[in-house]
Amino acid sequence: MEKDKISFGHDFLKMLGRTRLRPGGGLMTDWLLNQVQIDKDMHVLEVACNRGDNLIRIYTKYKCEIIGIDNDPVIVEQAKENIKILDLDKEIEVKNMDALKLDFEDETFDLIINEAMLTMLPNEEKAKTLKNYHRALKKGGYLLTHDVAVENESEDVRRQLSRFTNMNVYPLTVENWNRLLIENSFRPFSQRTGRMILLDRDTIIKDEGPIGAANFYKNAYAEGNRDRFTKMLERSQNTKISYIVLASKKEN
Ligand SMILES: C[S@@+](CC[C@H](N)C(=O)[O-])C[C@H]1O[C@@H](n2cnc3c(N)ncnc32)[C@H](O)[C@@H]1O
């Protein structure tokens, strides 16, 4: 990827070799998935699948029916390529689709997982998206979300986080994430929150493996990337950003 085309924080981290771009790292994704008994008969949708990392991991572990969507057509092509390299293109489908215009029949899925995306949407779009998830889930279906949580929703906190991600983001407090889900007919039944660990060395080693992590740091501190990476690291250490993972069930 050409450097001057890199705009968002998540694109930059991805270019450095970070594959799991969630505030609670892969650790919290694993925790989330463990809140539900997933089996091979389940129909699973991942929204904001990016380059297919979760899709591949979930299919490999559970052998369930799985489809991923992302609204970035370039990323969707990369996901398809990764899946094809692993010869899983018959098992895992990926589509270019916007979560705000979810184009699936009513009550199609048993489970929807959506990480590090809702935070990017203004509040009215978050609600619209949740309504779409509610419609596309079967009765009693599960929604697993992983997002950024803040202590307060002041403009100052929002601006700090927007500088970190280099895009407009709209994080909520733990209380308001819960409220948003409840107002859109979901019942949160299990949740965790803690300091954002996306850029912690231990998380990077766990998520990317030792060799992947070493490559990541090699890229991060290479000339041309070092200044931006160091600034991101400082910002992540100086802001009070947390992750929140929430497992919810569709209510009628
Ligand atoms: C920070 S990345 C997170 C990727 C992945 N879920 C993860 O946790 O590693 C955000 C992703 O959301 C996608 N995205 C943003 N808005 C979207 C929307 N309205 N519908 C579908 N995907 C969206 C972006 O293209 C990007 O791949």
Side-chain angles (χ1 to χ4, degrees):
M1 196 188 291
E2 289 167 47
K3 283 200 189 77
D4 55 3
K5 288 204 179 141
I6 295 162
S7 50
F8 303 137
H10 62 263
D11 286 333
F12 177 64
L13 291 175
K14 209 166 53 184
M15 189 274 288
L16 299 181
R18 193 78 173 91
T19 58
R20 308 183 100 186
L21 301 162
R22 306 114 214 199
L27 197 69
M28 284 303 116
T29 303
D30 294 347
W31 180 88
L32 253 186
L33 291 166
N34 281 335
Q35 303 315 299
V36 178
Q37 215 165 353
I38 304 175
D39 62 51
K40 65 173 183 40
D41 298 322
M42 274 189 162
H43 198 174
V44 176
L45 169 67
E46 182 180 27
V47 180
C49 65
N50 207 265
R51 292 195 295 187
D53 161 75
N54 254 356
L55 293 171
I56 294 164
R57 288 175 196 258
I58 293 173
Y59 176 77
T60 308
K61 183 160 181 193
Y62 303 104
K63 300 286 182 287
C64 52
E65 200 176 327
I66 189 160
I67 173 163
I69 63 159
D70 200 289
N71 73 343
D72 181 334
V74 177
I75 277 171
V76 166
E77 287 314 307
Q78 290 171 356
K80 283 184 181 166
E81 216 175 290
N82 291 339
I83 288 164
K84 188 148 181 55
I85 289 168
L86 295 171
D87 202 18
L88 289 172
D89 48 319
K90 293 210 171 46
E91 287 79 10
I92 303 173
E93 197 183 342
V94 189
K95 284 187 173 179
N96 181 206
M97 195 189 287
D98 189 337
L100 284 148
K101 297 178 192 145
L102 208 61
D103 188 17
F104 294 105
E105 300 276 313
D106 293 1
E107 302 192 6
T108 301
F109 299 102
D110 299 283
L111 170 73
I112 296 179
I113 180 164
N114 186 198
E115 299 184 284
M117 188 207 88
L118 286 172
T119 310
M120 294 173 164
L121 307 181
N123 290 350
E124 57 286 5
E125 292 190 0
K126 287 187 183 78
K128 188 174 173 197
T129 305
L130 287 181
K131 285 186 176 67
N132 288 341
Y133 296 168
H134 190 274
R135 184 187 61 70
L137 276 170
K138 293 180 188 167
K139 259 195 191 99
Y142 296 101
L143 174 63
L144 306 179
T145 54
H146 184 164
D147 279 287
V148 173
V150 285
E151 278 181 357
N152 65 71
E153 288 162 27
S154 68
E155 194 49 31
D156 188 43
V157 169
R158 209 181 69 73
R159 234 182 275 124
Q160 275 183 37
L161 187 60
S162 295
R163 269 201 299 271
F164 175 73
T165 54
N166 210 25
M167 68 194 306
N168 282 324
V169 286
Y170 310 88
L172 302 178
T173 59
V174 167
E175 193 187 348
N176 282 344
W177 278 118
N178 277 273
R179 181 172 299 141
L180 178 77
L181 285 158
I182 293 164
E183 281 175 359
N184 288 286
S185 307
F186 286 97
R187 180 175 55 78
F189 61 89
S190 198
Q191 61 188 286
R192 271 182 80 170
T193 180
R195 188 181 60 79
M196 181 169 88
I197 54 174
L198 172 71
L199 292 183
D200 283 13
R201 191 196 47 200
D202 290 359
T203 310
I204 294 176
I205 294 172
K206 180 165 190 321
D207 284 359
E208 313 301 343
I211 307 295
N215 274 327
F216 172 84
Y217 283 107
K218 191 169 143 209
N219 294 333
Y221 288 106
E223 219 182 315
N225 295 331
R226 190 186 311 128
D227 286 353
R228 183 169 179 182
F229 179 68
T230 312
K231 238 179 237 144
M232 267 188 116
L233 208 54
E234 275 168 17
R235 282 188 180 135
S236 85
Q237 282 154 358
N238 296 336
T239 46
K240 287 188 178 162
I241 308 171
S242 301
Y243 68 79
I244 177 165
V245 277
L246 272 155
S248 310
K249 206 170 164 83
K250 170 176 167 165
E251 301 259 80
N252 294 327

